[in-house]
């Protein structure tokens, strides 16, 4: 079992930065790949992949929409995974979720592959 709790969301102006953090409980955190997804207003049925990182932190993958602006990182000693978000745009407004998955592979972008989810944190970017 892995329990995930996100923090760090808030209101920011376009062009600004936020850093999201996801704290995980459980001794097996380091054996999971981790991902960040988001759900935009009016798209309650769609969780969009944002970024993922493998168990060691040696591999990362980003959605094209955030590449070059967002950075995912993890600290297995602290059981945390962070998402640094720079140059934020109004279209980044969403509830952001972290999630854990056992295996790193070509389906890392598919939310249905993930085993555990946090409750989400709201990010609002004003224009």
């Amino acid at each position: 079992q892995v329990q995930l709790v996100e923090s760090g969301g808030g209101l920011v102006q376009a062009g600004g930065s936020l850093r999201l953090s996801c704290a995980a409980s459980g001794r097996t955190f380091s054996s999971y790949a981790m991902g960040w997804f988001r759900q935009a207003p009016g798209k309650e049925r769609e969780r969009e992949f944002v970024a993922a990182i493998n168990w060691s932190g040696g591999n990362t993958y980003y959605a094209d929409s955030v590449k070059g602006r967002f950075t995912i990182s993890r600290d297995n000693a602290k059981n945390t995974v962070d998402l640094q978000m720079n140059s934020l745009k109004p279209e980044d407004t969403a509830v952001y979720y972290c999630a854990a998955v056992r295996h790193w592979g070509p389906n890392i972008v598919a939310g249905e592959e993930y085993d555990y989810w946090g409750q989400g944190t709201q990010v609002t970017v004003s224009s």
Side-chain angles (χ1 to χ4, degrees):
Q1 280 279 353
V2 176
Q3 293 183 323
L4 305 171
V5 179
E6 302 95 336
S7 62
L11 173 65
V12 64
Q13 287 189 330
S17 298
L18 279 176
R19 188 176 184 89
L20 305 183
S21 187
C22 175
S25 63
R27 292 174 291 177
T28 59
F29 171 75
S30 62
S31 64
Y32 285 84
M34 299 296 295
W36 284 95
F37 289 77
R38 65 188 181 186
Q39 199 162 27
K43 296 186 177 181
E44 283 72 23
R45 294 192 173 203
E46 302 175 30
R47 282 193 183 179
E48 177 191 8
F49 170 79
V50 175
I53 189 167
N54 76 330
W55 70 273
S56 68
N59 285 315
T60 58
Y61 189 73
Y62 296 92
D64 287 343
S65 58
V66 307
K67 202 173 294 182
R69 300 188 297 123
F70 291 11
T71 303
I72 189 171
S73 61
R74 69 187 296 162
D75 186 335
N76 286 340
K78 296 182 179 179
N79 279 13
T80 58
V81 58
D82 291 349
L83 185 69
Q84 177 66 43
M85 305 186 296
N86 298 329
S87 302
L88 282 161
K89 305 175 182 180
E91 51 263 44
D92 294 318
T93 295
V95 177
Y96 282 72
Y97 299 88
C98 72
V101 62
R102 268 291 188 188
H103 302 292
W104 177 267
N107 291 331
I108 202 70
V109 303
E112 58 267 27
E113 296 293 316
Y114 285 71
D115 302 296
Y116 302 102
W117 291 83
Q119 84 290 346
T121 186
Q122 177 71 48
V123 171
T124 302
V125 184
S126 63
S127 56

